[in-house]
Amino acid sequence: GIHVLWMYSASEQTTYPDRNMRYNFYSYATREWNWLDPTDFMQSGFNAFTERAGFGNLSADPGTGVAYVSTHLGTPLRPELARDNAPGAGLFEYCDSRPNAEGYLWPRFAVDAEGVAHFALIDDDTRDQLYYSKVEPWCEFSVPIRVAPPQPDPHYPCHNIAASRVSRKVCLTWTYAEGNPDPGFYRVSTDGGTSWQEPEELSWPPAYGGDTLTSYHITSLFPYFDGSDELHIVASVMPFIGSQGFIYPAQLWHWSPSNSPRWSHIHTANPDTLAAPVGYNALIACRVSIGSDAAGNLFVAWEEFDSLNVEPGPPELLRADIFHSHSGDNGRTWAEAVRITTPCSVSHRFPMMMDQITDTVAVSYLIDQVAGFHIQGQGPATRNPVVVQRWPNPYTGVKEAMSDVRITMSPGPTVIRGVLNLSGAGHNPILPGESGLCPKPAQLLNASGRKVMELQPGENDVRHLSPGVYFIRTEGSRGQRSEGSSRKVIIQR
């Protein structure tokens, strides 16, 4: 199935007293989310921790498939780890880091082939030094060891970690956030964190020329081990001229020690002009993540701001969309970037590529109803859906088989054999009268009236649903107080 994690609060208070890491699981067997509120999908999922918690991430045991969730909490701050009892069960047991790892925060972690959780931590005292800890055996945090020197520490929480799902390899990455320009580093252990190779500085990808230098962005770097135990790092970089960094042209690059040359170009975002800023801690294209399928094909996703799609202010900020690309030759060459979300009145942010791809590629992301970080004074706090978008793996042959069966309009109900399009643009819009607009999310109901899926603007992959009769329930027309409408659709194989 698919594990998904996000930070959640239902409170309107700016201190977010109920903040927590929220978890949900999509089962391939039942074709349903385990925790889905039938009346308000924003309440779906459940809190992974029993007290106020923040900033964590998600990993899964390669052997058992159970989810692990990290967070930092308490006073003083400390990391904590939760482990499920079965895939999607929601019966977490907790590992308290006290006393060994008390006083550390921003816990990024990954689980290796033997079910050991490896942590990259920042100390709460200076908030700029990088440390490593692991939970082995359960539940025992090791005493954190400093891992950056003789290279510089991050000086900002721009660290990351990856663990192999077939061996005991671990890789730490970080960017030195006070460089001029900012360099990137990595450090590898081949024995589950018992010993470490010397930390190495990453070479600069050949992104720019002349007097323009290359700088790693603080959203870099994203390390990953594929199923063959090969290390991959994807990075977002920015141009640096004199003592100034610029948010565009931004470039995305892939690095692998088994390739020659090691760096390969994924994508360049270089708009002619920007109608507004991109906001806090972002480039015009950044936050790239990577996954692979069983055959070793690589898949990446990232957020990219639309240079002309502006959220009305103040402050006026650009809205973003989600893009993806893929490679069938270990990252030496990459397919042309494809935008998978529809530009409209929301901003699509923080994509995370599913790490183990099957016949379906999947990415999770957040739909920001009003662009900008509320905690940075960039607009109001809003209720922002977290969604998973899926599409066929282009290397399995499914895409070619489905290419001519997007949506078929017919008398009476609409017959769907693959992708349901809510954008109203191309491929016979499913919602007549909405052409050129970006409708609000709708709901897909089964024949008994039970909600089975939230439909988002743009294309929605419905191949995972059982064939049969369904209904699309939409809200009232824009600017009108109507009760909305329902339309019958038939999903066929």
Side-chain angles (χ1 to χ4, degrees), residues 243-323:
S243 59
Q244 179 67 47
F246 295 85
I247 64 170
Y248 77 100
Q251 295 194 18
L252 306 178
W253 288 78
H254 166 265
W255 180 91
S256 174
S258 61
N259 289 349
S260 182
R262 292 187 172 187
W263 282 110
S264 59
H265 176 257
I266 299 174
H267 175 68
T268 295
N270 188 22
D272 293 332
T273 185
L274 299 183
V278 298
Y280 180 72
N281 279 357
L283 302 179
I284 192 70
C286 57
R287 292 186 169 89
V288 59
S289 58
I290 184 171
S292 66
D293 63 16
N297 302 304
L298 301 173
F299 303 82
V300 293
W302 65 92
E303 64 179 25
E304 185 167 331
F305 291 84
D306 189 321
S307 62
L308 300 178
N309 187 0
V310 180
E311 180 79 53
E316 293 186 349
L317 295 172
L318 294 180
R319 300 183 178 114
D321 284 297
I322 307 301
F323 287 71

Side-chain angles (χ1 to χ4, degrees), residues 171 173-175 182-186 200-208 214-217 219-224 231-238 251-267 288 290 298 300 327 329-334:
C171 178
T173 60
W174 68 97
T175 300
D182 296 348
F185 303 92
Y186 71 101
E200 295 192 39
E201 181 174 354
L202 279 167
S203 61
W204 302 105
Y208 309 103
T214 300
S215 178
Y216 291 106
H217 190 242
T219 63
S220 295
L221 304 152
F222 194 100
Y224 173 73
L231 176 62
H232 304 267
I233 297 175
V234 286
S236 52
V237 299
M238 59 193 295
Q251 295 194 18
L252 306 178
W253 288 78
H254 166 265
W255 180 91
S256 174
S258 61
N259 289 349
S260 182
R262 292 187 172 187
W263 282 110
S264 59
H265 176 257
I266 299 174
H267 175 68
V288 59
I290 184 171
L298 301 173
V300 293
S327 171
D329 58 7
N330 200 52
R332 295 177 180 87
T333 59
W334 291 87

Side-chain angles (χ1 to χ4, degrees), residues 309 321 341-346 348 367 422-425 431 434-441 456-458 478:
N309 187 0
D321 284 297
T341 56
T342 303
C344 59
S345 59
V346 298
H348 307 91
I367 299 178
L422 284 190
S423 69
L431 299 179
E434 292 284 359
S435 182
L437 298 177
C438 184
K440 295 180 180 179
Q456 301 299 327
R478 294 173 182 267

Side-chain angles (χ1 to χ4, degrees), residues 55 57 70-72 77-80 97 100-109 118-124 126-135 141-148 153-154 156-157 159-161 172-174:
F55 193 91
N57 74 295
S70 72
T71 190
H72 63 207
L77 284 171
R78 68 181 189 277
E80 185 160 313
S97 62
N100 287 349
E102 189 172 45
Y104 296 85
L105 72 164
W106 294 312
R108 299 301 302 264
F109 86 104
H118 302 268
F119 279 80
L121 305 167
I122 301 292
D123 71 302
D124 196 15
T126 67
R127 296 206 167 191
D128 62 15
Q129 296 179 357
L130 181 62
Y131 287 79
Y132 165 80
S133 177
K134 64 179 176 180
V135 176
F141 273 80
S142 64
V143 176
I145 60 172
R146 194 172 170 194
V147 292
D153 283 286
Y156 193 82
H159 56 292
N160 214 331
I161 191 168
L172 288 158
T173 60
W174 68 97

